[in-house]
Amino acid sequence: MRIFTRALSLLLLLMAPPLSAWGDRGHRVVSSLALRSLPEGPRAWFAGREAEVCDHASDPDHWKSDKKEGPRHFLDMEPYGDPERLPHTLEEARAIVGGDYYRLGVLPWIIQDRWRDLVAAFSEGDPGKVALATAVLGHYIGDAHVPLHTTLNHDGQFTHQRGVHSRWESGLVERHIVADELTVLMASPDAAIFHRPWEWLQASHALVPQLLADDREADRTTAQTTRGKQRSQAYWMIFWARQGPVVKQQLQRAGEHLGDAILNAWIAAGKPAIAAKPPI
Ligand SMILES: [Zn+2]
């Protein structure tokens, strides 16, 4: 019985989707870029709470013991056909792929839900809730900018590239990315912010073929020094040389889009001013 249980756990582990997007460092970077992009009105809400937003940016990855949580972090596009014609409602999604729609991921709809939470937090006037809602929204917006979160081949399992997911989103980020070296555009008002997640996902999806090709090329070039899952220094150099600009671009875009989402949530809530703290 125990052997059976162990075998089952191993099987489930092997079947499990990749743990996170961007890893902890990437999600922190996205949050800190977004806060830097804010104009004075919404920025005042985060004074002294910047670390709190970054500290909670990976929280949703720790909620995956709830079965419903996993698919909130991705959208597998291939079953829907043309990436330009993705369903914009869950009813449309169900009409195209049937009851499987949830298993294929619900990321854009979760971004909409968490954005509504942020509007509500601003309306309520509670800066603690605003910080937490921002961290959670930022997590999902960050995930939408990871190309491998938009494809069935999310870990290169169909192209003999297992592990490419974490090599790209954590391996490259942890070796090379420093938040202060990245720049971010100022957040801007956007009446269509609610519909942007689909555009972000389409742009991410377009990056998948080159990402996989660069991983294969880095592996081919360094094949003699590559052993099992461990990649050589040479592999990392080549993969970074090819994909480094893409990693930076996606982190910057995620930061900018989170900044836009925060600004527009604040506008939707009626541009509330943060209440002054009562004197002690
Ligand atoms: Zn995630």
Side-chain angles (χ1 to χ4, degrees):
M1 186 66 189
R2 190 181 289 173
I3 292 173
F4 174 74
T5 312
R6 274 204 201 138
L8 186 66
S9 322
L10 185 64
L11 185 67
L12 289 174
L13 196 67
L14 290 172
M15 288 167 62
L19 277 177
S20 69
W22 288 126
D24 188 58
R25 179 180 297 199
H27 281 296
R28 282 176 176 276
V29 168
V30 171
S31 294
S32 75
L33 287 173
L35 297 185
R36 268 160 50 192
S37 79
L38 294 177
E40 214 171 298
R43 187 194 282 245
W45 284 81
F46 298 95
R49 293 187 180 271
E50 295 86 351
E52 203 178 319
V53 176
C54 295
D55 287 347
H56 287 282
S58 293
D59 282 7
D61 278 337
H62 303 300
W63 300 339
K64 288 181 181 167
S65 51
D66 175 350
K67 264 202 225 151
K68 281 194 146 181
E69 183 59 30
R72 293 177 181 154
H73 299 244
F74 60 84
L75 181 70
D76 290 341
M77 289 192 187
E78 292 89 347
Y80 292 108
D82 183 353
E84 298 297 317
R85 302 183 57 161
L86 290 170
H88 277 243
T89 66
L90 290 173
E91 291 69 33
E92 285 168 25
R94 196 198 302 264
I96 299 170
V97 295
D100 263 357
Y101 78 94
Y102 198 91
R103 212 167 46 83
L104 295 173
V106 290
L107 178 53
W109 296 285
I110 290 302
I111 292 175
Q112 289 185 326
D113 287 349
R114 299 295 84 87
W115 185 79
R116 287 193 196 98
D117 291 347
L118 181 56
V119 175
F122 274 124
S123 300
E124 245 181 86
D126 181 339
K129 281 192 184 168
V130 167
L132 206 55
T134 297
V136 172
L137 172 65
H139 180 91
Y140 296 110
I141 290 182
D143 281 359
H145 291 76
V146 176
L148 293 171
H149 277 239
T150 68
T151 175
L152 287 168
N153 190 22
H154 54 77
D155 197 26
Q157 71 274 30
F158 301 141
T159 46
H160 305 291
Q161 293 173 269
R162 277 221 182 259
V164 65
H165 197 106
S166 92
R167 290 196 289 278
W168 192 88
E169 71 180 19
S170 300
L172 292 180
V173 172
E174 274 152 29
R175 279 172 175 78
H176 296 283
I177 294 295
V178 178
D180 291 346
E181 291 173 4
L182 298 178
T183 52
V184 67
L185 297 174
M186 286 301 285
S188 52
D190 179 2
I193 190 76
F194 209 57
H195 301 288
R196 297 292 177 215
W198 281 265
E199 293 172 16
W200 305 336
L201 285 160
Q202 283 155 356
S204 297
H205 191 68
L207 300 169
V208 171
Q210 191 62 50
L211 187 163
L212 292 173
D214 289 344
D215 178 70
R216 281 195 296 274
E217 185 59 27
D219 256 345
R220 233 192 319 273
T221 316
T222 61
Q224 277 139 4
T225 51
T226 301
R227 294 280 178 272
K229 285 187 172 180
Q230 294 297 322
R231 260 56 184 184
S232 64
Q233 275 303 104
Y235 164 88
W236 287 111
M237 268 178 57
I238 295 168
F239 199 32
W240 175 250
R242 289 169 181 256
Q243 281 290 308
V246 183
V247 171
K248 287 184 183 171
Q249 168 197 284
Q250 290 305 97
L251 283 168
Q252 284 170 320
R253 283 187 183 166
E256 282 163 16
H257 294 152
L258 175 57
D260 289 346
I262 300 168
L263 171 62
N264 287 285
W266 177 75
I267 293 171
K271 302 186 180 179
I274 185 168
K277 274 191 191 158
I280 299 167

